[in-house]
Amino acid sequence: MLASNVKQFEQLEETLLACIDKARIFTEPAQLLAYGTDASFYRLVPKVVVRLHNANEVIYTLRSCAALNISCTFRAAGTSLSGQAVSDSVLITLSDQWRGHEILEQGHKITLQPGVIGADANKYLLPYGRKIGPDPASINTCKIGGIAANNASGMCCGVAQNSYRTVDSMQLIFADGTQLNTADNNSVSRFKMSHPSLINDLKDLCEQVKNDSALSKLIKHKYRLKNTTGYSLNALVDYQDPIDVIQHLMIGSEGTLGFIKEITYNTVIEHRYKASALIVFNDIETACQVVSVLAKLPVSAVEMMDGRAMHSIADKPGMAAFIKQLDLEVGTLLIESRASDLESLNQQCAAVMEAISNYTVKESIEFTRDPSVVESLWAIRKGLFPAVGAVREVGTTVIIEDVAFPVQHLAAGVRDLQALFDQFDYHEAIIFGHALDGNLHFVFTQSFETESEIVRYSDFMDALTQLVAIKHKGSLKAEHGTGRNMAPYVELEWGKAGYALMQKIKAIFDPNGLLNPGVIINESSQAHIENLKPMPAADDLIDRCIECGFCEPVCPSRTLTLSPRQRIVLYREMKRSEQSGDSAYSKSLADTFQYQGIDTCAATGLCADRCPVGINTGDLVKKLRSLKYQQFAPIARWTANHFSTTNKLLNVGLKVNQVAQKTFGSARLNKASKGIANLSNNGVQRWSAEVPGANTFKLKSTFNKLHGQQNDKKVVYLASCSSRSMGQQADNKDQRSLTEVTSSLLAKAGFDVIIPDNINDLCCGQPHDSKGFFDIAKQKSAQLETALWEASEHGKWPVLMDTSPCAKRSIEAFSEETVQQMQVVEPSLFVLNYLVEYLNITPLQEPIMLHITCSTRKMALDKQMLQLAQQCASEVIVPEHIECCGWAGDKGFTTPELNSAALSPLRSQIPNGCTRGYSNSRTCEIGLSHHSGIAYQSILYLVDEVSS
């Protein structure tokens, strides 16, 4: 029996504290719920969550759990869909210190730690024209540990380039804490000496399979298809050396056999040239016939979509007009071909189209390399999953499953699946998938709120598994891993002999059954309908969330408190407890959520860009803040109505700061500030040496409406309230204010400057919007819109806003008519579009850091900002894993730990000889300077310095 009593977990916590910081051991109920949730539709709440920094901590935790007979589960990104990363015991998660990588053999190999995001691995390999083989749809979020442990594949990966086929070596940690480096002969020798029984047991299994011709034949058949059902039994056929067998059994083992500390992949070619085509046929049967032909041609991906799938995205923006006219019988193929040179690509595309010409085509978009067209084509495929998720009823969850049929059974498999959906009333279900591999995904919505709904799902699963595994001899899981959802059916697919083999494998590696119990091997025939996750209605802003976790990598608070997914999990639980009448539990959650969920959220909305259904968790947080801050509404309204006075008061405060810093020095001020902040329970804003002095520069229009009409180079300059008030920090080399620098640059390029009337009263409304004072924010943005419309002569002249947050806020808040007729531009884009042609730029011959703000990313101007920086400096470093600095308006003052957590990776990425950084948000630059140790200023300073 596995330990489950409270005293043993208390003893475990006490033991763990001897090696692991208390801040990384979580036992508070709300945190356990939030951190324990993954992308699946199962819920198990752990008793303990640990966030580990290194291999020694993993070993210590495993041995501590084993000593108390307590089970544990490993978690990477938590994007798993089948319930393989949840636990009701100990959940082991990884800190950001598991992001190490090493490029080997000119990119032909890469060594990766399990915390590296898949897309980052490909970014490291891009200069070598290589990539890792696995290409799961979640590659921008999922991590190498999960990719390997689930043998995840994807659209182009197939069977030949998955982790099983491309693994070169591994470093492993076993259940007893023993380590093995399969690439190190000394490590291998030590392991063989310390674990002779494990080695001999694996040899016996290989011999057993070799002597069982029926089982060997079954294994070989199963792995001609994509197959992640159960353990990788092909390891017992493909390899005889026990170390090779161990290494390949670990692939797809879902954390049930050991921990993958490091993996080295043999990489594959990333072809430079690509082209895509969309071909629609009258029916699925014709489409599947074409797939069989395409399998013999130079295509890298063939995605098939049934008629319901195409119908689900027909009304999405940017879709081809003919999609709306398609009937439900059609079969559609999205085809991609890749090559290392353009001539080869053109020949390949011609060969594919010639082969297709033998079949009746209903509609088509032939091969193109046009980036916008290609993007729109793949938007069809990427939009299928969210298309179902976005329209589901509140309280239901999205089920996405993946099966594989032998390619010759593909058409029959699609038709049988469609019939099954009709039989069980899943009329919204759609089918799509990687046709070359016979791998189909299907998506439908399911409620688990009533017993009848649970029975419907269970009966469907029983019918589905019979259809796929028995009738068509296919794979129940092609690339998503077995998990809890398919564990009851592993024996159905593999038979008694195959399942017995898997049970022996589990017993050899994990004799006490402590590693991720219930996953892959689960004796309960009901495991797939147990521990189902509730999805209660909470708020229209977040009810469509499927808790996939795609949002997490870009969240600045994810290592401090909660990610967007975790905020939604807790908020849902709060609303569920309220509805159930459990007021004490609800209040406890609310108390936790105040700081964890509301106070430490930057509310920048980057999460919405990553969310498959476009949820902006920041909108919910701002809505909740509006309730919290209602008592301060009169003050907020006064500041809005007396904005000029408010700015003058801020200016006075900044002048006092200048005097105090000169008089007392930074060290004494910093110490005093910390003391005051502590005494006030952080009610008083904290000071740092990077807080700027006052801006004394007086803005003036250089354009006289009565004279100088002959100059057609004019710009309305709206200096943000922060840049109007703030000067520079004391030790910055260039002490000019941003307003002075901007004026200098505009004059250098020959532009007349129009300053709006009563500029000191103007504000975009961002400070009020972030606090939830939406009406006041709307009032300020409307006032600004009117002023700029007048100053620009009804859109005749462009409007430059010198900080990106103000530009983004204005573009979103102004009327659609104003935005269409009046060009509101942030700094980088304005320089590129209006100034560069009038400037002579001599690039700075030194490295610079570049912070691309969240507002710039939200406006999709990150490439333009980088382009400008690269024109102005010989080397530009955009630090990894910093999407938002976490300053978030005034959070850098009131909640400095958010800024600190968001920028924790920054200082270590600054190269020797780099002394300055650039951005385009005045407040963000305060925190960037503080946490980097170098001065950050607006990118306009850089442009002004290098131009003439």
Side-chain angles (χ1 to χ4, degrees):
M1 295 291 291
L2 299 183
S4 61
N5 68 69
V6 173
K7 286 187 178 179
Q8 282 176 297
F9 282 101
E10 289 176 348
Q11 188 177 346
L12 175 65
E13 182 184 0
E14 186 177 335
T15 303
L16 293 177
L17 283 169
C19 179
I20 301 163
D21 296 339
K22 183 176 178 60
R24 294 186 285 115
I25 302 173
F26 306 97
T27 57
E28 197 272 327
Q31 290 176 305
L32 294 175
L33 173 64
Y35 297 160
T37 299
D38 76 348
S40 72
F41 50 93
Y42 297 100
R43 169 163 293 167
L44 291 172
V45 180
K47 305 294 191 303
V48 179
V49 175
V50 290
R51 187 178 291 160
L52 304 183
H53 278 341
N54 52 54
N56 288 336
E57 292 183 351
V58 173
I59 293 168
Y60 185 81
T61 301
L62 287 175
R63 288 176 174 168
S64 298
C65 288
L68 292 166
N69 200 36
I70 292 175
S71 65
C72 58
T73 295
F74 303 114
R75 162 85 63 83
T79 57
S80 304
L81 294 163
S82 302
Q84 54 266 65
V86 293
S87 170
D88 59 359
S89 184
V90 175
L91 184 66
I92 297 175
T93 64
L94 307 180
S95 74
D96 286 346
Q97 294 193 26
W98 293 86
R99 286 173 166 169
H101 77 279
E102 183 180 3
I103 305 289
L104 306 169
E105 299 179 16
Q106 292 298 302
H108 285 261
K109 293 182 181 180
I110 186 170
T111 298
L112 298 162
Q113 288 187 320
V116 175
I117 293 174
D120 286 344
N122 286 340
K123 182 174 66 176
Y124 305 144
L125 289 165
L126 188 60
Y128 302 91
R130 312 287 294 184
K131 64 177 182 176
I132 59 172
D135 61 341
S138 58
I139 197 165
N140 289 327
T141 303
C142 67
K143 297 178 180 178
I144 293 299
I147 290 173
N150 288 289
N151 198 18
S153 48
M155 289 183 282
C156 301
C157 168
V159 176
Q161 295 182 350
N162 62 16
S163 291
Y164 182 91
R165 295 296 180 192
T166 58
V167 60
D168 177 76
S169 62
M170 281 184 183
Q171 291 190 39
L172 302 167
I173 300 175
F174 294 89
D176 62 0
T178 303
Q179 296 193 70
L180 168 65
N181 183 348
T182 65
D184 183 336
N185 291 333
N186 291 330
S187 176
V188 169
S189 296
R190 287 194 300 270
F191 185 80
K192 287 181 176 179
M193 290 180 64
S194 64
H195 290 71
S197 60
L198 187 151
I199 296 296
N200 290 330
D201 287 345
L202 289 178
K203 287 180 178 179
D204 290 344
L205 287 187
C206 290
E207 194 66 24
Q208 176 187 333
V209 172
K210 181 179 178 182
N211 294 331
D212 188 333
S213 59
L215 186 54
S216 294
K217 183 178 179 181
L218 175 65
I219 292 171
K220 290 175 182 177
H221 163 73
K222 285 291 184 184
Y223 290 103
R224 290 190 187 99
L225 304 175
K226 272 188 176 181
N227 194 327
T228 59
T229 310
Y231 291 117
S232 300
L233 294 185
N234 45 342
L236 303 174
V237 173
D238 296 340
Y239 301 96
Q240 296 301 308
D241 184 321
I243 302 301
D244 285 333
V245 173
I246 290 171
Q247 181 166 281
H248 289 83
L249 281 174
M250 284 292 170
I251 300 294
S253 64
E254 301 176 30
T256 64
L257 304 182
F259 175 77
I260 299 173
K261 171 187 170 184
E262 191 174 275
I263 183 169
T264 299
Y265 279 108
N266 294 303
T267 63
V268 301
I269 296 174
E270 172 66 301
H271 291 102
R272 182 179 176 185
Y273 296 96
K274 305 172 186 179
S276 297
L278 185 77
I279 315 294
V280 183
F281 301 94
N282 287 319
D283 50 55
I284 284 291
E285 287 75 13
T286 304
C288 291
Q289 291 174 25
V290 174
V291 170
S292 297
V293 173
L294 294 177
K296 303 168 187 175
L297 294 173
V299 292
S300 58
V302 178
E303 293 293 295
M304 184 168 70
M305 296 158 279
D306 75 349
R308 288 175 176 173
M310 297 301 288
H311 181 73
S312 73
I313 49 85
D315 293 325
K316 299 292 181 184
M319 295 297 142
F322 68 77
I323 294 178
K324 293 183 180 180
Q325 311 304 320
L326 299 177
D327 59 57
L328 296 182
E329 287 299 305
V330 300
T332 302
L333 299 181
L334 177 56
I335 308 167
E336 182 172 274
S337 188
R338 301 179 176 184
S340 298
D341 62 86
L342 190 55
E343 183 179 354
S344 297
L345 179 65
N346 290 335
Q347 291 173 354
Q348 291 171 190
C349 293
V352 170
M353 293 309 298
E354 183 179 354
I356 290 174
S357 67
N358 296 320
Y359 299 86
T360 302
V361 173
K362 189 178 184 73
E363 297 282 356
S364 70
I365 298 175
E366 297 194 2
F367 278 105
T368 176
R369 292 176 54 236
D370 184 318
S372 61
V373 178
V374 169
E375 184 177 349
S376 68
L377 293 181
W378 284 97
I380 295 173
R381 168 63 177 82
K382 293 174 183 176
L384 295 177
F385 179 49
V388 174
V391 298
R392 77 183 195 279
E393 292 183 14
V394 175
T396 65
T397 190
V398 178
I399 306 290
I400 178 169
E401 274 301 346
D402 70 309
V403 298
F405 296 102
V407 175
Q408 65 270 26
H409 292 213
L410 189 58
V414 172
R415 291 303 188 193
D416 285 348
L417 282 175
Q418 290 174 333
L420 210 60
F421 295 143
D422 289 337
Q423 178 185 342
F424 289 94
D425 295 324
Y426 292 117
H427 300 295
E428 78 287 0
I430 63 173
I431 299 173
F432 56 92
H434 319 315
L436 290 176
D437 302 302
N439 175 195
L440 297 179
H441 300 295
F442 52 86
V443 180
F444 58 91
T445 62
Q446 173 71 52
S447 169
F448 292 118
E449 293 183 343
T450 65
E451 186 61 30
S452 62
E453 280 294 300
I454 295 173
V455 169
R456 176 170 73 127
Y457 177 71
S458 182
D459 291 346
F460 168 78
M461 288 294 290
D462 288 345
L464 170 73
T465 52
Q466 286 289 331
L467 167 66
V468 176
I470 305 303
K471 179 178 180 180
H472 291 292
K473 307 300 181 188
S475 306
L476 295 176
K477 299 296 288 188
E479 59 182 9
H480 289 176
T482 308
R484 298 174 186 277
N485 195 34
M486 210 56 79
Y489 301 102
V490 174
E491 185 173 358
L492 174 72
E493 175 169 340
W494 280 99
K496 291 188 181 299
Y499 189 64
L501 203 58
M502 294 184 188
Q503 289 175 310
K504 289 179 182 177
I505 290 169
K506 174 66 172 174
I508 289 170
F509 284 89
D510 183 23
N512 296 319
L514 298 180
L515 297 182
N516 209 1
V519 170
I520 297 183
I521 304 298
N522 194 317
E523 300 306 321
S524 172
S525 63
Q526 303 296 301
H528 62 305
I529 53 172
E530 296 171 343
N531 303 301
L532 297 168
K533 180 192 293 183
M535 299 288 276
D539 190 287
D540 289 343
L541 291 170
I542 59 167
D543 282 340
R544 291 173 297 120
C545 175
I546 53 180
E547 299 180 7
C548 64
F550 285 10
C551 55
E552 293 190 331
V554 298
C555 177
S557 65
R558 62 181 181 80
T559 61
L560 174 66
T561 50
L562 301 175
S563 68
R565 164 167 64 178
Q566 293 161 351
R567 284 185 169 87
I568 290 173
V569 168
L570 269 197
Y571 191 70
R572 279 175 165 163
E573 183 68 1
M574 283 170 53
K575 304 308 286 186
R576 188 194 67 78
S577 62
E578 284 177 12
Q579 293 160 11
S580 67
D582 191 345
S583 57
Y585 180 44
S586 176
K587 184 180 185 307
S588 173
L589 288 174
D591 290 344
T592 298
F593 193 75
Q594 182 59 58
Y595 177 77
Q596 299 270 334
I598 299 176
D599 294 346
T600 53
C601 178
T604 60
L606 283 176
C607 47
D609 292 344
R610 292 292 188 96
C611 176
V613 292
I615 292 170
N616 184 342
T617 311
D619 286 344
L620 172 68
V621 169
K622 287 192 285 188
K623 179 178 178 180
L624 297 175
R625 283 177 184 164
S626 71
L627 300 174
K628 174 187 175 182
Y629 292 127
Q630 277 307 308
Q631 58 184 314
F632 302 111
I635 298 173
R637 193 167 300 282
W638 187 91
T639 62
N641 293 334
H642 303 83
F643 203 75
S644 178
T645 303
T646 303
N647 270 330
K648 288 177 183 177
L649 292 173
L650 174 59
N651 203 264
V652 169
L654 293 172
K655 288 178 180 177
V656 170
N657 167 55
Q658 280 178 302
V659 173
Q661 190 166 353
K662 289 179 181 178
T663 305
F664 300 108
S666 298
R668 290 174 66 186
L669 280 176
N670 199 37
K671 184 177 179 180
S673 173
K674 284 184 178 179
I676 294 171
N678 290 334
L679 287 172
S680 67
N681 195 25
N682 294 326
V684 176
Q685 294 184 350
R686 300 186 195 183
W687 179 91
S688 74
E690 290 76 23
V691 174
N695 179 6
T696 58
F697 181 77
K698 303 298 182 185
L699 279 170
K700 294 179 182 178
S701 291
T702 59
F703 167 57
N704 188 318
K705 290 184 180 180
L706 299 177
H707 305 94
Q709 293 281 358
Q710 69 278 5
N711 188 359
D712 60 357
K713 290 160 58 180
K714 299 179 180 66
V715 58
V716 177
Y717 173 31
L718 190 281
S720 69
C721 46
S722 59
S723 58
R724 294 198 303 266
S725 301
M726 295 180 180
Q728 292 299 306
Q729 65 190 63
D731 56 355
N732 278 3
K733 182 179 178 181
D734 191 337
Q735 282 293 302
R736 294 178 299 164
S737 67
L738 176 56
T739 52
E740 184 176 357
V741 169
T742 306
S743 299
S744 165
L745 187 58
L746 293 172
K748 190 182 295 183
F751 274 75
D752 278 340
V753 177
I754 304 168
I755 303 299
D757 293 338
N758 302 314
I759 188 171
N760 289 326
D761 282 326
L762 301 179
C763 174
C764 67
Q766 181 70 31
H768 299 96
D769 181 77
S770 65
K771 295 292 187 298
F773 298 121
F774 303 125
D775 290 342
I776 300 173
K778 187 175 181 180
Q779 169 197 326
K780 292 306 293 181
S781 62
Q783 179 188 12
L784 178 62
E785 180 178 358
T786 300
L788 294 180
W789 183 249
E790 196 65 35
S792 67
E793 297 182 39
H794 301 180
K796 183 177 181 180
W797 312 116
V799 176
L800 165 63
M801 295 191 173
D802 61 12
T803 56
S804 61
C806 296
K808 173 181 172 292
R809 161 71 189 173
S810 299
I811 291 169
E812 292 174 347
F814 291 175
S815 69
E816 184 177 343
E817 180 184 4
T818 297
V819 172
Q820 288 177 349
Q821 297 186 44
M822 183 173 71
Q823 293 297 309
V824 176
V825 195
E826 61 80 55
S828 299
L829 190 63
F830 185 84
V831 173
L832 287 172
N833 287 357
Y834 292 95
L835 302 188
V836 162
E837 63 178 303
Y838 305 110
L839 300 173
N840 295 314
I841 293 177
T842 305
L844 201 66
Q845 295 303 304
E846 61 180 81
I848 64 165
M849 301 297 295
L850 182 67
H851 175 70
I852 301 173
T853 57
C854 46
S855 48
T856 302
R857 295 179 190 278
K858 289 285 289 181
M859 291 187 288
L861 295 175
D862 44 333
K863 291 180 180 177
Q864 287 88 336
M865 188 175 183
L866 178 59
Q867 177 190 344
L868 176 61
Q870 289 172 334
Q871 288 185 31
C872 296
S874 59
E875 182 182 358
V876 179
I877 299 104
V878 179
E880 282 192 300
H881 311 123
I882 300 174
E883 302 283 330
C884 169
C885 73
W887 190 273
D890 63 357
K891 289 289 181 188
F893 289 122
T894 62
T895 317
E897 62 271 28
L898 175 61
N899 186 228
S900 178
L903 295 179
S904 60
L906 178 57
R907 190 180 291 260
S908 64
Q909 296 185 63
I910 299 174
N912 292 333
C914 181
T915 61
R916 44 183 162 173
Y918 296 95
S919 188
N920 57 5
S921 171
R922 186 65 196 87
T923 51
C924 294
E925 290 149 19
I926 300 172
L928 290 162
S929 299
H930 180 66
H931 291 288
S932 67
I934 63 174
Y936 270 79
Q937 294 178 300
S938 168
I939 195 169
L940 296 178
Y941 282 80
L942 175 63
V943 179
D944 190 50
E945 179 178 348
V946 301
S947 65
S948 61

